[in-house]
Amino acid sequence: MVSGGLDSTLAAKIMLDQGVELTGIYLSAPWGCCDKTVAMKAAHSLGIPFLVIKMTDEYIGVIRNPKYGYGSSMNPCIDCRIYMFEKVKEVMARIGASFLVTGEVLGQRPMSQMKNSMALIEERAGLKGLVVRPLSAKAMEPSLPEQAGVVDREKLYGITGRSRKEQMALAI
């Protein structure tokens, strides 16, 4: 998943440095709130294919009545992340991808990026063990691709919390 932000761009770069083949996937909200141009530029600079998934009005239903409650401000709710992961899983099946890479950082967002929430999201989306989070991997249980040696866990990071200092240092 590529948003064009620092975390997702770093996560993709870390995986590319390990020789993992990637396709950047951007989720476009039905109300057009965000410009996909930044994500497209990030994918282009990384030299990876780029796909846009248009979330449908079905997504509005998820937002209106989230089973797991609302996040505050721009904190994506757990239900929103489940929906997004489900949509990415559909694309993964079409393109033959075996796992998902995200720029999520453990503890960065108080609702959707806590250990229990991340595990719940993976399970509910049918991606249990198939989400690699290169920035926080060492602070979490190894994913299936790490266990299988497809991804070298030693080359991943254990970043946690809201500070962006470690990510900024990696970007330099």
Side-chain angles (χ1 to χ4, degrees):
M1 294 173 71
V2 175
S3 68
L6 178 62
D7 294 341
S8 67
T9 304
L10 285 172
K13 176 72 170 118
I14 292 165
M15 292 290 89
L16 288 170
D17 287 348
Q18 290 198 32
V20 174
E21 184 180 333
L22 297 177
T23 297
I25 299 175
Y26 176 82
L27 294 130
S28 176
W31 53 85
C33 75
C34 306
D35 182 4
K36 68 178 176 270
T37 306
V38 176
M40 189 171 17
K41 286 180 181 177
H44 180 73
S45 72
L46 292 164
I48 60 174
F50 180 72
L51 300 173
V52 176
I53 299 173
K54 292 188 179 200
M55 296 189 287
T56 64
D57 289 339
E58 173 186 32
Y59 182 60
I60 301 292
V62 171
I63 294 169
R64 284 193 177 133
N65 191 22
K67 179 179 180 179
Y68 297 100
Y70 290 104
S72 62
S73 294
M74 292 301 288
N75 180 26
C77 70
I78 291 169
D79 301 85
C80 296
R81 293 302 284 179
I82 293 167
Y83 177 86
M84 292 174 185
F85 278 31
E86 288 172 339
K87 293 300 169 196
V88 170
K89 182 182 175 194
E90 292 171 9
V91 173
M92 288 170 58
R94 284 198 310 267
I95 65 173
S98 54
F99 59 93
L100 168 64
V101 176
T102 78
E104 294 172 300
V105 172
L106 183 63
Q108 189 176 70
R109 297 192 184 270
M111 189 168 190
S112 63
Q113 292 181 0
M114 304 308 276
K115 231 178 234 189
N116 290 341
S117 299
M118 292 168 127
L120 174 70
I121 292 164
E122 278 187 32
E123 187 171 328
R124 288 286 316 277
L127 290 167
K128 186 174 181 175
L130 297 175
V131 180
V132 177
R133 298 175 176 93
L135 298 174
S136 290
K138 288 185 177 177
M140 305 175 76
E141 293 297 316
S143 65
L144 294 174
E146 292 169 67
Q147 291 173 21
V150 174
V151 173
D152 184 351
R153 186 171 173 83
E154 293 308 309
K155 295 180 180 174
L156 304 179
Y157 296 85
I159 301 171
T160 61
R162 298 180 65 85
S163 172
R164 309 285 298 223
K165 289 179 185 176
E166 291 180 78
Q167 291 96 312
M168 293 301 288
L170 282 174
I172 294 175

